[in-house]
């Protein structure tokens, strides 16, 4: 059984490089989701923020 993932106003930068800004989304319980995008657009940074390996400067 999956768990709901709720992201609110996530913003993450490295220095002056903004990776994500004001991302808000909910992944419902039990759904399988895929995160797609070109290399270097921030997929891994997003997932690392979700599991606490990186700390976003804004959001939860
Ligand atoms: N620890 C870090 N310090 C500084 N910049 C970083 C760090 N981690 C990632 N970046 C930068 O953040 C941006 C997004 O990187 P990320 O690794 O999330 O891309 P990605 O979408 O997962 O790419 P790929 O498809 O190649 O795995 C890139 O410009 C990368 O250089
Ligand atoms: Mg990656």
């Amino acid at each position: 059984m999956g768990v709901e993932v709720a992201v609110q106003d996530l913003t993450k930068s490295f220095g002056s490089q903004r990776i994500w800004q004001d991302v808000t989304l909910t992944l419902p319980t039990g759904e399988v989701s895929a995160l797609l995008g070109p290399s270097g657009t921030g997929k891994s940074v997003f997932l690392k923020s979700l599991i606490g390996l990186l700390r976003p400067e804004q959001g939860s």
Side-chain angles (χ1 to χ4, degrees):
M1 188 63 156
V3 297
E4 180 183 85
V5 176
V7 176
Q8 184 77 39
D9 295 331
L10 184 77
T11 296
K12 176 63 187 170
S13 303
F14 293 109
S16 62
Q17 184 184 16
R18 180 61 51 89
I19 310 299
W20 291 96
Q21 182 167 5
D22 298 332
V23 176
T24 296
L25 58 85
T26 302
L27 306 178
T29 303
E31 283 200 3
V32 176
S33 300
L35 180 60
L36 304 177
S39 180
T41 51
K43 302 179 297 294
S44 292
V45 168
F46 182 78
L47 294 174
K48 288 174 183 174
S49 298
L50 285 190
I51 65 172
L53 289 177
L54 290 172
R55 180 172 291 270
E57 61 265 32
Q58 180 184 304
S60 59

